[in-house]
Amino acid sequence: MRIIAKSTIKNFWEQPAYQDAKSPLESWYEEALKADWASPQAIKDQYRNASICSNNRVVFNIGGNKYRLVVEMHYRAGIAWIKFVGTHTQYDLINVETVNDY
């Protein structure tokens, strides 16, 4: 998969309060780069706890479910576009289907 944009997760883990997110986010990134997610089921096969949402959004639990990562999938193009990363509290304040739409 092509991931857009690593800087989103990097900016998150560089914040002092979220430095513990670096390793699990890097692990997700490396796994996603190697993945060939052609469908939501392909993601569920690899990440059973991922939540498939409308608007081609997928929510991944990161760091033992401490953080949430929202990705917009473009399956045919092989693109995973990172839309949001944050704590559960921050996640509860967003709309998964529209977060970071321009």
Side-chain angles (χ1 to χ4, degrees):
M1 301 297 297
R2 180 172 161 223
I3 315 300
I4 302 173
K6 185 177 183 179
S7 62
T8 303
I9 58 176
K10 188 173 184 264
N11 290 340
F12 182 76
W13 80 54
E14 286 180 340
Q15 296 175 63
Y18 309 125
Q19 290 177 347
D20 63 331
K22 181 178 181 180
S23 180
L25 284 169
E26 282 184 321
S27 293
W28 176 89
Y29 181 83
E30 291 302 320
E31 291 172 12
L33 277 178
K34 296 173 188 172
D36 183 20
W37 295 325
S39 67
Q41 186 58 51
I43 293 173
K44 289 294 281 184
D45 289 346
Q46 186 171 355
Y47 291 96
R48 294 193 187 279
N49 292 327
S51 299
I52 308 299
C53 304
S54 60
N55 202 20
N56 292 317
R57 302 293 173 99
V58 180
V59 179
F60 294 91
N61 298 319
I62 302 293
N65 210 17
K66 184 173 182 180
Y67 301 105
R68 292 283 178 102
L69 177 67
V70 177
V71 178
E72 181 178 314
M73 299 302 300
H74 297 269
Y75 297 102
R76 285 187 170 182
I79 295 172
W81 188 354
I82 298 168
K83 294 293 189 170
F84 170 86
V85 61
T87 65
H88 270 273
T89 302
Q90 294 163 339
Y91 171 82
D92 289 342
L93 300 175
I94 66 162
N95 180 332
V96 170
E97 298 170 11
T98 60
V99 67
N100 224 349
D101 278 348
Y102 302 104

